[in-house]
Amino acid sequence: MNDPSSRDSFSLSGRRVLVTGGAGFLGRHLCDLIEKREPAALIVPRSKEYDLTEQADVRRLFADHAPEVILHLAAEVGGIGANRENPGRYWYANAMMGLNLLEEARKAEAAKFVQVGTICSYPNLTPVPFQEDDLWNGYPEVTNAPYGVAKKSLYVGADAYRRQYGLPAISLLPVNLYGPHDNFDLRTSHVIPALIRKMVEAVDRGEDRVTAWGSGRASREFLFVRDAADGILAATERYQPTGGEGELGGDPVNLGSGREITIRDLAGLIAEVVGFSGEIVWDETKPDGQPRRCLDTTRAKERFGWEAATDFRAGLAETADWYRAHRPA
């Protein structure tokens, strides 16, 4: 077994660090951690200034800021409904952002490139728990496939650029995230923020029922957003994809909690946390998505010594409290 403590760490101190999506849900938590490492600069590009789907804008971004380390979190993504409505856009935008960034990082001879992907890249019927070696054993769940395949192509790109050009690139596969600053817009949100919002509003209005999508029988795994940020930072600093003889390559690595729960049980737990005692009505005309999701997180522990730390109920409670404090009037 490879001991992560036996390899030299990669320091962000004094480096110019670019975090795409750094103002987003996951990115803001990651940037908080990076700031403590005292980088020379922390660069968080905004879409109104740099459109990452345009090669010219990405080239200008590198010319303007000369980043040495690139952590690519930016994505166009949403829940099941949003994925059904935007398959072409999600495929194009996610593929182009990654391709443009990899190419400019190569030309700039970047010191590290971290490609943050998605659990949606796994085949629809992957044996549980998902192991990284199963990534190519089938086609993703059709609802999420354009997004998942776009990200999947970038794992190939990161590895190819590492092997041909020596770009120190790694790929990470975080499971579904939740936590403070999540997206609570019911048109585009994922299941946890959607259920929290529906149940909190039902409690406030004195309503005795909420509607949830699907049958509730599908299962998911969830990772608290600060744990995900900690995992990405740990991989950046301690997962060195040298790829030489006897060394680790740039294999994708799962980031998850290793805890599987059905959507029905999740809804019941959220109801307890927010104090909703009414009926949960399941709309089975809406899709369940992938039947099961749960990760094997052994590789993350072996390669860079990381494990999730947040208790699930406590994380849900903090997320619900944040929503109550920050929702629009």
Side-chain angles (χ1 to χ4, degrees), residues 77 88 148 181 213 225:
V77 63
H181 298 283
W213 273 34
V225 66

Side-chain angles (χ1 to χ4, degrees), residues 20 25 36 40 42 50 60 67 116 140 156 175 205 218 250 269 308 312:
T20 70
F25 171 43
K36 297 175 183 177
L42 180 55
Y50 302 100
R60 181 166 54 86
V116 179
V156 177
V175 77
R205 296 170 181 165
L269 183 56
F312 190 40

Side-chain angles (χ1 to χ4, degrees), residues 8 57 60 68 74 160 170 186 210 276 298 301 317:
D8 293 335
D57 279 23
R60 181 166 54 86
E68 302 169 75
I170 61 174
L186 294 179
V210 298
F276 174 72
T298 304
K301 185 176 181 180

